[in-house]
Short mmCIF file of all heavy atoms in Angstrom, two decimals:
data_model
loop_
_atom_site.label_atom_id
_atom_site.label_comp_id
_atom_site.label_asym_id
_atom_site.label_seq_id
_atom_site.Cartn_x
_atom_site.Cartn_y
_atom_site.Cartn_z
N LEU G 511 10.48 -6.81 -65.05
CA LEU G 511 10.70 -5.85 -63.97
C LEU G 511 11.70 -6.34 -62.94
O LEU G 511 11.97 -5.65 -61.95
CB LEU G 511 9.37 -5.55 -63.26
CG LEU G 511 8.29 -4.88 -64.12
CD1 LEU G 511 6.99 -4.76 -63.34
CD2 LEU G 511 8.76 -3.50 -64.57
N THR G 514 14.39 -4.08 -60.96
CA THR G 514 14.07 -2.65 -60.94
C THR G 514 13.85 -2.18 -59.51
O THR G 514 13.72 -2.98 -58.58
CB THR G 514 12.81 -2.35 -61.77
OG1 THR G 514 11.70 -3.05 -61.19
CG2 THR G 514 12.99 -2.80 -63.22
N ALA G 515 13.82 -0.87 -59.34
CA ALA G 515 13.61 -0.31 -57.99
C ALA G 515 12.22 -0.69 -57.48
O ALA G 515 11.22 -0.47 -58.18
CB ALA G 515 13.78 1.20 -58.03
N TRP G 516 12.17 -1.23 -56.25
CA TRP G 516 10.88 -1.69 -55.70
C TRP G 516 9.92 -0.51 -55.52
O TRP G 516 8.73 -0.63 -55.75
CB TRP G 516 11.12 -2.37 -54.35
CG TRP G 516 9.88 -3.02 -53.77
CD1 TRP G 516 9.42 -4.26 -54.04
CD2 TRP G 516 8.98 -2.43 -52.82
NE1 TRP G 516 8.27 -4.51 -53.33
CE2 TRP G 516 7.97 -3.40 -52.57
CE3 TRP G 516 8.91 -1.21 -52.18
CZ2 TRP G 516 6.91 -3.17 -51.70
CZ3 TRP G 516 7.87 -0.97 -51.31
CH2 TRP G 516 6.87 -1.94 -51.07
N ASN G 517 10.47 0.63 -55.10
CA ASN G 517 9.62 1.80 -54.89
C ASN G 517 8.95 2.28 -56.17
O ASN G 517 7.96 3.02 -56.12
CB ASN G 517 10.44 2.95 -54.30
CG ASN G 517 10.80 2.71 -52.83
OD1 ASN G 517 10.35 1.73 -52.23
ND2 ASN G 517 11.63 3.57 -52.27
N GLU G 518 9.51 1.87 -57.35
CA GLU G 518 8.96 2.32 -58.64
C GLU G 518 7.92 1.37 -59.20
O GLU G 518 7.32 1.64 -60.25
CB GLU G 518 10.10 2.48 -59.65
CG GLU G 518 11.16 3.51 -59.27
CD GLU G 518 10.56 4.89 -59.13
OE1 GLU G 518 9.70 5.24 -59.97
OE2 GLU G 518 10.91 5.62 -58.18
N LEU G 519 7.71 0.22 -58.52
CA LEU G 519 6.74 -0.75 -59.04
C LEU G 519 5.34 -0.17 -59.24
O LEU G 519 4.67 -0.51 -60.23
CB LEU G 519 6.67 -1.97 -58.10
CG LEU G 519 7.80 -3.00 -58.23
CD1 LEU G 519 7.60 -4.13 -57.22
CD2 LEU G 519 7.86 -3.58 -59.65
N PRO G 520 4.82 0.71 -58.34
CA PRO G 520 3.47 1.26 -58.58
C PRO G 520 3.34 2.00 -59.92
O PRO G 520 2.24 2.13 -60.45
CB PRO G 520 3.28 2.21 -57.40
CG PRO G 520 4.17 1.68 -56.34
CD PRO G 520 5.38 1.16 -57.06
N LYS G 521 4.47 2.49 -60.44
CA LYS G 521 4.44 3.17 -61.74
C LYS G 521 4.85 2.23 -62.87
O LYS G 521 4.19 2.16 -63.92
CB LYS G 521 5.39 4.37 -61.70
CG LYS G 521 5.47 5.15 -63.02
CD LYS G 521 6.42 6.33 -62.92
CE LYS G 521 7.86 5.83 -62.79
NZ LYS G 521 8.83 6.96 -62.82
N ASN G 522 5.93 1.45 -62.64
CA ASN G 522 6.48 0.62 -63.71
C ASN G 522 5.58 -0.56 -64.08
O ASN G 522 5.45 -0.91 -65.26
CB ASN G 522 7.87 0.09 -63.31
CG ASN G 522 8.89 1.21 -63.20
OD1 ASN G 522 8.68 2.29 -63.75
ND2 ASN G 522 10.00 0.95 -62.51
N PHE G 523 4.97 -1.22 -63.08
CA PHE G 523 4.14 -2.38 -63.40
C PHE G 523 2.91 -2.01 -64.24
O PHE G 523 2.64 -2.65 -65.27
CB PHE G 523 3.72 -3.09 -62.10
CG PHE G 523 2.75 -4.22 -62.31
CD1 PHE G 523 3.10 -5.33 -63.07
CD2 PHE G 523 1.46 -4.16 -61.79
CE1 PHE G 523 2.18 -6.37 -63.28
CE2 PHE G 523 0.55 -5.18 -61.99
CZ PHE G 523 0.91 -6.29 -62.75
N PRO G 524 2.12 -0.98 -63.89
CA PRO G 524 0.98 -0.61 -64.74
C PRO G 524 1.41 -0.22 -66.16
O PRO G 524 0.72 -0.54 -67.14
CB PRO G 524 0.35 0.58 -64.00
CG PRO G 524 0.73 0.36 -62.58
CD PRO G 524 2.13 -0.19 -62.66
N GLN G 525 2.56 0.49 -66.27
CA GLN G 525 3.03 0.89 -67.60
C GLN G 525 3.40 -0.32 -68.44
O GLN G 525 3.03 -0.42 -69.62
CB GLN G 525 4.23 1.83 -67.46
CG GLN G 525 3.89 3.21 -66.94
CD GLN G 525 5.11 4.10 -66.79
OE1 GLN G 525 6.25 3.63 -66.89
NE2 GLN G 525 4.87 5.40 -66.54
N MET G 543 3.60 -5.97 -55.60
CA MET G 543 4.63 -5.38 -54.75
C MET G 543 4.97 -6.32 -53.59
O MET G 543 6.15 -6.50 -53.25
CB MET G 543 4.16 -4.03 -54.21
CG MET G 543 4.00 -2.96 -55.29
SD MET G 543 3.54 -1.35 -54.60
CE MET G 543 5.10 -0.82 -53.87
N VAL G 557 8.83 2.59 -49.62
CA VAL G 557 7.54 3.24 -49.41
C VAL G 557 6.51 2.55 -50.29
O VAL G 557 6.84 2.04 -51.37
CB VAL G 557 7.59 4.75 -49.73
CG1 VAL G 557 8.52 5.48 -48.77
CG2 VAL G 557 8.04 4.99 -51.17
#
Side-chain angles (χ1 to χ4, degrees):
L511 297 175
T514 62
W516 187 85
N517 287 354
E518 299 300 319
L519 281 179
K521 179 180 68 175
N522 293 341
F523 174 63
Q525 288 179 349
M543 294 183 74
V557 295

